[in-house]
Amino acid sequence: MAFWTKLEAWYNDYGRTLPWRGIDNPYYIWLSEIILQQTRIEQGRDYYLRFIETFPTVADLATASEEQVLRLWQGLGYYSRARNLHAAAQYIMDECGGRFPDTYDGILRLKGVGRYTAAAIASFAYRLPHPVIDGNVYRFISRLRGIATPIATDAAYREFESLLTQLIDRERPDRFNAALMDFGALQCRPQPDCTACPFADECEALRTGRVDMLPVKAPKAKPKDRWFYYFDLRWRKEGVQYGWMHRRTDNDIWRGLFEFDLMETSQELSPDDLNTAIQHFAQEAYHLSPITFHLSPPYLHQLTHRTIHARFIQAELPQEPVSHPADGMAMTARQMNSVPVPRLIDKYLQSL
Ligand code: SF4
């Protein structure tokens, strides 16, 4: 039986119902695809619904402030996705006359959109025959055809794209792609039940006993360790407690999000060295004489390429320091809870 006939029969029985399926609004599809990059469907669904409710059109997203967008994104991680969404919405309004691009190449020009996302939008919104190739598709097709090219490389992408371009249903590429992704996600899972698979009679990995060896993954680099010591200094003015936060502006993780003043070190500090470093920082940055502080328990925050080891240095000051190490603003606890912050800082604030 032809590949698509078999796959479609399976999809008719087991395909997922998702809020962004069966629609052709390119803006909604784009939002869902960006949210779902690096995010599980269960978590992404709520964010998607909140985004389309808060910003029902691309014009609404374009005219929102970056702070509003980041705040709505908070908790999803990979904040560059949110910044790119925002920048791309402004590009659509300013450069495309408010019309979402309707060609694969036009979609690919949007900031933050790669080949996978462009293919998804082109096929779901405009029924253009571009196959989607995500991790689930790599797994299914590499096993089915016994392909051992390391995935997530340029060579693999070209190889899978060429193969799937021959198989795709040119009338209904949207259905084809949805079925392909669902099959990889639900049937050809990392530990699949091959006895229930409609492709068992032609699966190369099953025939050669290589199901758990495919797909071949390129070795991952070990995450780099970073040590963050945050100064959470508080003081009272007219009975209200204030602290200081600034926005991260460097080309680094969490750009655009708020944080406390940071002392970063290249290794973990011993208690004595930490005490010396804190006193030195307090004097240099805030012009404070020796301070009495409380040290929070350690926080471990795992990002894909970084492991963050964080401590929060808490101190009550009689008044606001005369200087701060970075441009920022005095905030009440309530304000701190309303600006976009990394999940690490959010966890800390919630623990107070
Ligand atoms: S037989 Fe097993 S490994 Fe092969 S496609 Fe089906 S589920 Fe995947």
Side-chain angles (χ1 to χ4, degrees):
M1 202 191 291
F3 175 80
W4 174 224
T5 311
K6 236 185 216 184
L7 183 60
E8 191 175 29
W10 176 90
Y11 184 63
N12 287 338
D13 290 341
Y14 302 107
R16 294 179 288 197
T17 305
L18 299 168
W20 46 85
R21 282 269 170 90
I23 59 171
D24 57 9
N25 180 331
Y27 168 61
Y28 282 14
I29 293 166
W30 171 54
L31 278 179
S32 72
E33 290 299 337
I34 301 294
I35 288 171
L36 290 177
Q37 289 168 4
Q38 325 275 354
T39 302
R40 285 174 299 107
I41 284 192
E42 302 72 45
Q43 190 194 11
R45 188 192 307 256
D46 288 349
Y47 279 86
Y48 167 76
L49 295 174
R50 257 181 273 152
F51 259 83
I52 61 171
E53 193 188 330
T54 312
F55 308 122
T57 67
V58 71
D60 295 315
L61 178 60
T63 50
S65 70
E66 187 182 90
E67 206 171 306
Q68 257 179 300
V69 178
L70 290 174
R71 180 73 193 162
L72 203 58
W73 192 269
Q74 189 167 304
L76 269 180
Y78 298 95
Y79 288 86
S80 56
R81 290 183 290 165
R83 284 192 297 271
N84 287 339
L85 263 184
H86 192 220
Q90 291 173 337
Y91 165 83
I92 292 169
M93 296 312 295
D94 298 345
E95 308 289 330
C96 312
R99 280 200 44 175
F100 204 97
D102 58 4
T103 62
Y104 177 80
D105 289 336
I107 299 167
L108 206 49
R109 275 197 282 278
L110 299 178
K111 212 169 172 188
V113 169
R115 291 175 295 195
Y116 161 78
T117 307
I121 300 169
S123 62
F124 293 136
Y126 303 114
R127 293 196 182 171
L128 297 172
H130 292 275
V132 288
I133 305 168
D134 67 357
N136 294 323
V137 175
Y138 270 129
R139 187 169 54 246
F140 168 37
I141 299 300
S142 67
R143 287 170 172 173
L144 182 68
R145 294 295 176 100
I147 301 171
T149 312
I151 59 166
T153 59
D154 225 39
Y157 193 92
R158 282 199 304 273
E159 186 176 358
F160 282 65
E161 185 182 42
S162 147
L163 173 63
L164 288 166
T165 301
Q166 292 166 33
L167 298 173
I168 199 166
D169 180 342
R170 304 189 83 77
E171 298 295 312
R172 293 301 308 269
D174 52 335
R175 257 179 90 66
F176 179 91
N177 279 341
L180 198 59
M181 291 159 83
D182 281 6
F183 194 86
L186 303 177
Q187 169 60 41
C188 194
R189 292 177 302 190
Q191 311 295 329
D193 173 9
C194 296
T195 58
C197 178
F199 291 96
D201 61 340
E202 57 180 298
C203 174
E204 198 49 28
L206 186 63
R207 190 182 70 77
T208 54
R210 289 185 297 152
V211 171
D212 53 5
M213 289 177 224
L214 294 173
V216 174
K217 293 182 183 164
K220 276 190 190 160
K222 188 179 172 294
K224 189 172 165 248
D225 289 299
R226 294 175 72 171
W227 282 267
F228 284 8
Y229 296 97
Y230 278 117
F231 281 78
D232 179 11
L233 305 186
R234 307 283 177 123
W235 63 92
R236 287 190 172 273
K237 201 165 127 193
E238 292 161 9
V240 180
Q241 191 194 49
Y242 288 90
W244 186 266
M245 282 188 141
H246 69 266
R247 220 181 176 141
R248 284 180 74 91
T249 51
D250 291 351
N251 206 5
D252 190 6
I253 55 169
W254 303 335
R255 187 154 58 87
L257 303 187
F258 284 81
E259 66 177 1
F260 297 108
D261 290 328
L262 173 64
M263 175 176 77
E264 180 173 357
T265 60
S266 57
Q267 57 186 18
E268 185 173 14
L269 298 181
S270 68
D272 281 352
D273 287 349
L274 180 57
N275 187 23
T276 307
I278 290 171
Q279 299 303 346
H280 183 72
F281 190 93
Q283 183 162 31
E284 289 287 306
Y286 302 108
H287 300 155
L288 291 173
S289 46
I291 59 168
T292 311
F293 60 86
H294 173 75
L295 202 57
S296 77
Y299 284 73
L300 191 70
H301 191 70
Q302 191 62 58
L303 303 170
T304 311
H305 304 296
R306 302 274 179 272
T307 304
I308 311 289
H309 307 260
R311 303 294 290 261
F312 292 83
I313 297 142
Q314 303 157 322
E316 280 280 344
L317 305 177
Q319 64 208 26
E320 180 175 357
V322 290
S323 72
H324 293 278
D327 281 348
M329 63 187 87
M331 291 187 195
T332 62
R334 198 192 168 102
Q335 286 170 318
M336 287 179 186
N337 280 312
S338 69
V339 292
V341 294
R343 183 177 275 200
L344 165 68
I345 305 254
D346 189 42
K347 264 195 228 157
Y348 166 72
L349 288 172
Q350 300 313 320
S351 75
L352 294 178

